Amino acid sequence: MTTELEMMLDHVSLSVADMEQAKRFYSAILATIGMELVAEVTAAQSGSVAYAGFGIGRKGQLWIAQGGQQTPSAHICFRASSRQAVRDFHAAGLANGGSDNGVPGIREIYHPEYYAAFVRDPEGHNIEAVTFEPEAEQ
């Protein structure tokens, strides 16, 4: 049986105006949690717009589509393996054109072990990383 910590969506898509900027931003932040650019589809191939997929192995879980800036913006949260990965995710977001939308820390309002950070991507999407793991011992 799947537990609440194992649940996941198959994939999510976001529309972006600047595909190259979005690929740089998502490549940087998602690398901190073990994801990478796994597929690209041209507008000619799709028959509409270009897509880029980020995931693990051959499976894209986050797809960005060059369809123009999305309104309203979206919120997506990714599971991180550790609190350090959450901190790295936040730092990578800020270093790659994102803006702070919540520094790494416990969010007891959600859960006593909910350790998360939030960044707005360059187009305004609220992107989060969360872990329920305790701080690693040094």
Side-chain angles (χ1 to χ4, degrees), residues 86-135:
V86 170
R87 292 189 289 271
D88 293 345
F89 176 95
H90 186 261
L94 298 182
N96 287 278
S99 60
D100 176 44
N101 198 34
V103 297
I106 291 287
R107 304 301 196 280
E108 287 190 21
I109 189 170
Y110 303 133
H111 186 278
E113 297 166 7
Y114 196 105
Y115 188 90
F118 303 80
V119 293
R120 289 233 181 250
D121 79 1
E123 298 196 25
H125 296 295
N126 183 22
I127 311 300
E128 174 185 0
V130 66
T131 188
F132 292 86
E133 298 298 321
E135 189 68 56

